[in-house]
Amino acid sequence: MKPWLLLSLLLLQQTLQSAVGQSAKSKRPKEPGENRIKPSNKKVKTRTPKLKERNSTEPSPKASSIMTRVMEKGHFQKPTATLNLSAGQSIELRCKGNRIGWSYPPYLDTFKDIRLSIKQHERYSRLILENATAADTGEYSCWLLQCKGYNCKKDESKRGSTYIFFADKEEFFVPAPSYFEVVYLSPDKPAVIPCRVTNPSAKVTLHQEFPAEEIKVDGTNIIYDAKKGFIYQHPTSDQKGVVYCRAESRGTSQISIKYQLLYVKVPYGPPSATIKASSNTLQGGSDVNVLCTVLGQPDVEVEFNWIYPGQEYKRPVNIQDSWRLIDRGDDHTTRISESIITVEDLETIDAGNYVCVAQNLRGQTTVATQVELI
């Protein structure tokens, strides 16, 4: 063998031995805990990462609405929270269920408008409003009725609603039934100045009549909601007076009706009633008037009912109810409600207790007085 070939073989042998030695050195004993790293990584890779945490941040699913809107060519669409339509358009809404209740702007009930029709079918109820006007702007909602015999109640889990704006170039504000309206300001609840617009894109501002200036709307104490109007979150006596709203759209402006803001401090509760007869001792053949008077909140109506001696005999009597507002000073406005029962030509059956039952939303009060014959 040639010397140079032998030398090459020897060098190759040394190189291989050196490589094997280094490999052996690299396989040192592992420290305790080193073998846990790779298995731990493998477990993370084989799991779906943080499914519970991801789901917990997602909003809970909402109950599906039972309302749909009928589009052209028989297509159906879930209505959004608000719909922007134009005056003169018609709309058809349907709600699933074999017995459905509806609510819609009260204006449509005022004159029993024939443009509105509601029909219950076997599996759904249908509401159709034709040739809509600015006054039809408002919320349209439906709900499923659960009935046992003649008693029905709303199923709040199955309902639907949408607020519809019917924009009108001639009517920026939803028409009001009068040219002047009273709004009561109470320190314990928000007050709403209901100047609602027919087009939500209109710019609306609030103004006081005297002194004539715009009222600042800060978005905290006073806010504006196109579906409700201006809302005084915490009314004060300084805010009383006459105000109105102004709307601007496409370079044109309109003003609303005027609103008289009255500040009241009458406490809430059952009526405070008193009763008084024109005379408690009368002769037969005389006439008697019995007056029942209630003091209360200006915006809370009172209902009167009478119990009188000749009632079971169907004695003819005359009953008249009325009310008025009075300013008692110190920002104190009170509603005085009165009911008078008149009995003519008193007879024996008319002698006895005359009972007045005054009731409002917060309870009732009963007062009585005695009428005798001599």
Side-chain angles (χ1 to χ4, degrees):
M1 183 178 292
K2 296 181 180 182
W4 60 269
L5 182 58
L6 181 60
L7 180 60
S8 299
L9 291 173
L10 290 174
L11 290 173
L12 180 61
Q13 184 179 3
Q14 289 179 357
T15 301
L16 293 172
Q17 289 177 349
S18 176
V20 172
Q22 289 179 0
S23 177
K25 288 180 180 180
S26 66
K27 294 182 180 180
R28 59 178 177 78
K30 294 183 179 179
E31 295 295 332
E34 271 189 315
N35 59 345
R36 298 179 187 173
I37 297 175
K38 287 185 179 180
S40 175
N41 288 338
K42 289 180 180 178
K43 289 182 180 179
V44 172
K45 290 180 181 179
T46 56
R47 272 191 318 198
T48 303
K50 299 183 180 180
L51 279 179
K52 292 184 179 179
E53 294 181 7
R54 185 176 299 174
N55 290 338
S56 64
T57 60
E58 295 177 356
S60 57
K62 296 181 180 179
S64 58
S65 171
I66 63 173
M67 178 182 286
T68 57
R69 178 187 174 191
V70 180
M71 310 298 290
E72 294 181 359
K73 299 179 180 179
H75 291 211
F76 296 87
Q77 186 181 76
K78 289 286 185 181
T80 54
T82 58
L83 294 175
N84 298 323
L85 303 179
S86 298
Q89 286 188 259
S90 299
I91 188 169
E92 179 178 344
L93 300 173
R94 294 187 182 185
C95 288
K96 296 179 182 178
N98 59 358
R99 191 167 294 185
I100 297 294
W102 289 90
S103 69
Y104 40 83
Y107 170 82
L108 290 166
D109 268 340
T110 305
F111 304 103
K112 296 182 179 179
D113 205 317
I114 61 173
R115 296 177 301 116
L116 176 72
S117 63
I118 296 176
K119 185 175 182 180
Q120 179 69 55
H121 297 266
E122 183 178 356
R123 296 184 179 180
Y124 68 91
S125 180
R126 180 182 66 185
L127 179 149
I128 297 178
L129 177 62
E130 298 178 341
N131 193 23
T133 68
D136 302 325
T137 295
E139 184 174 13
Y140 294 75
S141 60
C142 64
W143 53 86
L144 182 66
L145 291 172
Q146 299 285 2
C147 299
K148 291 184 178 179
Y150 293 101
N151 296 322
C152 297
K153 63 179 182 179
K154 295 181 181 179
D155 185 347
E156 295 294 341
S157 66
K158 296 180 180 179
R159 59 182 298 123
S161 67
T162 184
Y163 191 99
I164 306 178
F165 293 94
F166 290 107
D168 191 326
K169 296 179 181 179
E170 304 297 327
E171 296 279 0
F172 287 6
F173 292 101
V174 178
S178 64
Y179 294 99
F180 196 84
E181 190 171 327
V182 176
V183 175
Y184 298 103
L185 306 179
S186 178
D188 56 355
K189 66 176 182 178
V192 178
I193 301 171
C195 48
R196 298 181 295 127
V197 289
T198 62
N199 185 347
S201 64
K203 180 183 177 182
V204 188
T205 52
L206 181 63
H207 303 259
Q208 64 182 19
E209 188 174 48
F210 183 81
E213 62 182 14
E214 181 178 340
I215 298 174
K216 183 180 179 181
V217 178
D218 56 11
T220 302
N221 294 315
I222 302 178
I223 62 176
Y224 182 70
D225 185 338
K227 299 178 182 179
K228 297 179 180 179
F230 286 97
I231 304 172
Y232 284 32
Q233 298 285 54
H234 307 287
T236 64
S237 61
D238 296 336
Q239 295 168 327
K240 64 181 181 179
V242 178
V243 301
Y244 61 91
C245 304
R246 180 189 298 275
E248 295 183 5
S249 179
R250 298 179 180 180
T252 305
S253 66
Q254 286 185 4
I255 63 173
S256 70
I257 66 171
K258 294 180 179 180
Y259 300 91
Q260 174 72 56
L261 308 186
L262 297 178
Y263 187 75
V264 298
K265 293 195 297 186
V266 179
Y268 282 79
S272 173
T274 59
I275 193 170
K276 183 179 180 181
S278 55
S279 177
N280 293 102
T281 305
L282 293 168
Q283 293 182 345
S286 302
D287 300 340
V288 65
N289 296 319
V290 183
L291 171 64
C292 185
T293 305
V294 168
L295 303 181
Q297 280 278 358
D299 56 339
V300 178
E301 295 184 1
V302 176
E303 179 181 342
F304 291 98
N305 287 291
W306 285 94
I307 302 173
Y308 50 94
Q311 193 168 20
E312 60 179 308
Y313 302 104
K314 297 182 179 181
R315 175 74 157 94
V317 297
N318 182 32
I319 299 175
Q320 292 184 339
D321 297 341
S322 62
W323 65 273
R324 66 186 186 276
L325 296 178
I326 62 169
D327 186 356
R328 304 179 65 181
D330 191 25
D331 304 322
H332 194 164
T333 302
T334 301
R335 180 188 184 115
I336 298 182
S337 302
E338 295 178 332
S339 183
I340 301 177
I341 182 171
T342 301
V343 183
E344 299 177 347
D345 298 326
L346 289 178
E347 303 175 6
T348 304
I349 60 171
D350 300 319
N353 278 328
Y354 285 74
V355 180
C356 170
V357 181
Q359 183 174 10
N360 63 17
L361 295 176
R362 299 172 181 86
Q364 70 177 35
T365 300
T366 302
V367 290
T369 188
Q370 183 82 19
V371 175
E372 298 179 357
L373 291 180
I374 56 175

